[in-house]
Amino acid sequence: MSVTIESMPFEILSNILNEAAYLNERDNVAFSYGLTEAPLPFQKTRLHKQVDQRWHDWALAHSLRDLSIARWRGSERWMESHSFASSEEKPSGIAVYRDSFSSLKSTTKLLAEFPAVASYVRKIRFIGFYVAETDALIFKLLRNCSHLRVVSLPWTTMRRGSLQDWSSLLSSSGNAAGMRSLELLATGLKESQIVDPRNEIGPSPFDESEVTFSQLTRLKVFGDSNFHPVNDQDLKSIARTAMNLEEVHITQTASVTIAGVMDLVKASRESLRILEFSPLLEGEDGKGDHRNHSSNEHLCELLVSCPRLIDLSVSLPSVCPALFSNSGVQWSGDLQIRANSFCAEDVHNPNVGSASQIWQVLDGARSLISSRAEAGVDLSIEIVITHWIFQPKHRLVHGNFDLAEVSSDFSWPSGKKASGKGPYGSTGIHGKDENPYSCVSEDVFREGLLRGYVSF
């Protein structure tokens, strides 16, 4: 019995076509697949091509499952010279401008006219659209994507979207597949955009009962803005119904503190697997350190109580050995804990200072690393206290020791080595810190603390 490609099950056919598309893309070869052909000279040729319906459906699903719509930037200018010799000079001629929102408008029109085409979209991101006009177009486009699962939106949609817009996007009735991942991306706006009365914001719909985030398994907030940025109150409103989050990523923002992040953690404590909170710090945005937390909650114990948490990269106001006290956690891979100080609960003796507390934290981290290794899990922990980076597994401390060397008349530290690490948010040289980091052993660092050459 002969088997033709047309008789194959769709799953096998889809795998073959996926592999062919991947190889064509990798090898930088473009094929028309026989759908177009150049007419012969002096002849008018009408093309009649028949495509198997399954191939047609696969092509639509493959092409439209992941859309990225970006705003057109800049303009074009026709050069008057016919010679490339003058191309290095300032071009002259007629400037040709394009509608910067044309890509969004044309895609919105296409998906509105052909809902069947829109049903193939699974993931969509919008880049560069921050005004009221584009926010309205975005929601108009999204209403036609009935099987959307992942969406990356400008944060302004959160300020201008109506109750109907958000309830339709997030609810199972408005989205048959169910929204699973929501990204809110922020950036700074021009002063002209901020003061434009057409870009005014409306009341937040997130507190209304019709808007529910219960289907979301992933939430990401990225970037900072000078125009109504995402804040703790927004995250608190989301946490009201976001009880099934598996991933939370809050990065590069100065308007969200650990309090807002912990609202999400408490709401999804049973399901949370990945937690990333990397805010902008003092010196990066000029607004102060947003790791501070005024609540009396012991955040170390709260994080340890998340039964499914695996991956952790978080900035905390303080840290203590309680964060590493539970050998039953599921942590694995590379973890980074950043803190300004040590938890008050860990200070039983008021005469005990930071110098003794850091060793308790490091010993607790080493104990947890050993416990996970016995379970066959590789765990690496990096602890950042102010501007010092500790690697408990290797018993190393990274930082800039230049001032300490001067204060010790260059008698300390001994055994200093070059380090590939750098200040928070980078490796190597960063910002005003003009000298590369070095690393020393924990014993050498302990000596420096006792002699007052270094401090927290």
Side-chain angles (χ1 to χ4, degrees):
M1 178 179 177
S2 61
V3 179
T4 63
I5 192 169
E6 288 81 6
S7 64
M8 289 183 176
F10 183 75
E11 291 77 8
I12 298 178
L13 175 62
S14 179
N15 287 336
I16 293 174
L17 296 177
N18 272 321
E19 185 66 18
Y22 166 74
L23 292 175
N24 289 336
E25 181 180 6
R26 186 193 67 181
D27 297 335
N28 297 319
V29 177
F31 294 105
S32 66
Y33 298 98
L35 298 179
T36 60
E37 60 187 47
L40 297 176
F42 308 107
Q43 292 185 0
K44 292 184 178 181
T45 305
R46 295 187 64 185
L47 302 179
H48 298 278
K49 297 292 181 181
Q50 291 185 344
V51 180
D52 186 281
Q53 184 63 41
R54 296 192 306 165
W55 289 54
H56 177 269
D57 294 341
W58 177 88
L60 281 176
H62 179 79
S63 302
L64 298 174
R65 64 187 174 193
D66 188 347
L67 291 184
S68 180
I69 306 174
R71 180 173 70 90
W72 170 263
R73 296 177 181 271
S75 61
E76 298 175 355
R77 184 180 292 273
W78 292 94
M79 297 183 63
E80 294 180 344
S81 174
H82 295 286
S83 171
F84 283 103
S86 61
S87 62
E88 295 181 359
E89 302 176 1
K90 184 177 181 180
S92 62
I94 301 175
V96 182
Y97 293 96
R98 287 182 53 180
D99 181 0
S100 58
F101 304 151
S102 60
S103 59
L104 178 59
K105 291 178 179 178
S106 58
T107 307
T108 301
K109 181 180 178 181
L110 171 68
L111 299 186
E113 292 181 358
F114 302 99
V117 173
S119 67
Y120 287 100
V121 179
R122 298 294 182 270
K123 179 179 181 180
I124 191 167
R125 65 181 67 85
F126 301 91
I127 304 171
F129 304 105
Y130 312 119
V131 299
E133 178 187 357
T134 55
D135 286 341
L137 286 171
I138 286 173
F139 280 112
K140 182 178 179 181
L141 183 154
L142 293 176
R143 281 194 288 272
N144 294 293
C145 300
S146 57
H147 291 76
L148 191 64
R149 299 179 68 83
V150 179
V151 63
S152 180
L153 297 172
W155 86 107
T156 50
T157 56
M158 181 182 63
R159 302 302 182 205
R160 300 193 186 104
S162 66
L163 174 61
Q164 181 181 0
D165 290 333
W166 279 100
S167 61
S168 176
L169 176 64
L170 297 171
S171 67
S172 57
S173 59
N175 186 341
M179 186 64 60
R180 291 294 180 264
S181 175
L182 172 64
E183 296 183 1
L184 297 170
L185 310 182
T187 190
L189 297 185
K190 298 179 180 178
E191 184 65 24
S192 58
Q193 293 175 313
I194 296 176
V195 301
D196 191 336
R198 294 174 297 178
N199 292 330
E200 292 182 354
I201 66 171
S204 174
F206 287 180
D207 289 322
E208 303 296 332
S209 59
E210 293 88 343
V211 177
T212 174
F213 296 87
S214 59
Q215 292 191 94
L216 285 185
T217 58
R218 181 177 181 270
L219 176 66
K220 177 178 179 179
V221 176
F222 178 85
D224 195 34
S225 178
N226 54 354
F227 181 77
H228 299 283
V230 181
N231 55 43
D232 287 350
Q233 182 57 47
D234 297 319
L235 298 189
K236 184 177 182 179
S237 299
I238 293 174
R240 178 178 57 85
T241 54
M243 298 169 289
N244 299 301
L245 291 175
E246 297 180 7
E247 298 184 28
V248 173
H249 304 267
I250 313 293
T251 59
Q252 293 299 301
T253 176
S255 55
V256 173
T257 72
I258 190 66
V261 175
M262 285 302 162
D263 284 333
L264 295 172
V265 171
K266 287 183 286 186
S268 299
R269 191 180 68 86
E270 296 295 332
S271 59
L272 191 63
R273 298 176 59 252
I274 299 174
L275 175 60
E276 179 184 12
F277 176 49
S278 304
L280 292 174
L281 300 184
E282 186 176 5
E284 294 179 275
D285 68 326
K287 300 178 183 177
D289 192 338
H290 293 265
R291 291 182 293 190
N292 293 329
H293 184 49
S294 59
S295 173
N296 293 324
E297 291 178 307
H298 191 188
L299 304 185
C300 296
E301 293 181 351
L302 179 58
L303 291 173
V304 170
S305 69
C306 298
R308 299 187 62 197
L309 188 62
I310 297 175
D311 195 348
L312 183 64
S313 175
V314 63
S315 295
L316 299 172
S318 59
V319 68
C320 72
L323 185 61
F324 309 108
S325 61
N326 185 358
S327 60
V329 295
Q330 302 299 311
W331 299 355
S332 64
D334 297 327
L335 272 68
Q336 188 181 75
I337 308 297
R338 301 171 292 274
N340 284 334
S341 59
F342 301 92
C343 299
E345 291 81 358
D346 195 46
V347 187
H348 301 294
N349 186 340
N351 296 322
V352 177
S354 300
S356 63
Q357 296 177 59
I358 182 59
W359 310 124
Q360 297 175 28
V361 171
L362 294 175
D363 288 340
R366 273 189 285 269
S367 177
L368 181 60
I369 291 173
S370 299
S371 176
R372 297 298 290 153
E374 292 175 359
V377 178
D378 184 23
L379 175 63
S380 177
I381 299 175
E382 184 175 275
I383 303 172
V384 183
I385 307 295
T386 61
H387 47 277
W388 304 113
I389 303 174
F390 296 85
Q391 287 185 297
K393 188 174 184 179
H394 303 293
R395 296 180 180 271
L396 293 176
V397 184
H398 302 256
N400 190 330
F401 297 96
D402 289 353
L403 292 178
E405 285 184 295
V406 173
S407 63
S408 67
D409 291 331
F410 298 94
S411 63
W412 185 92
S414 60
K416 186 179 71 170
K417 299 179 181 178
S419 168
K421 297 184 179 296
Y424 167 69
S426 71
T427 57
I429 301 173
H430 174 66
K432 296 180 180 179
D433 197 332
E434 298 176 355
N435 296 305
Y437 268 27
S438 304
C439 68
V440 299
S441 68
E442 287 183 6
D443 290 336
V444 172
F445 189 81
R446 186 196 300 264
E447 179 187 358
L449 278 175
L450 294 176
R451 294 187 177 186
Y453 298 147
V454 293
S455 65
F456 293 106

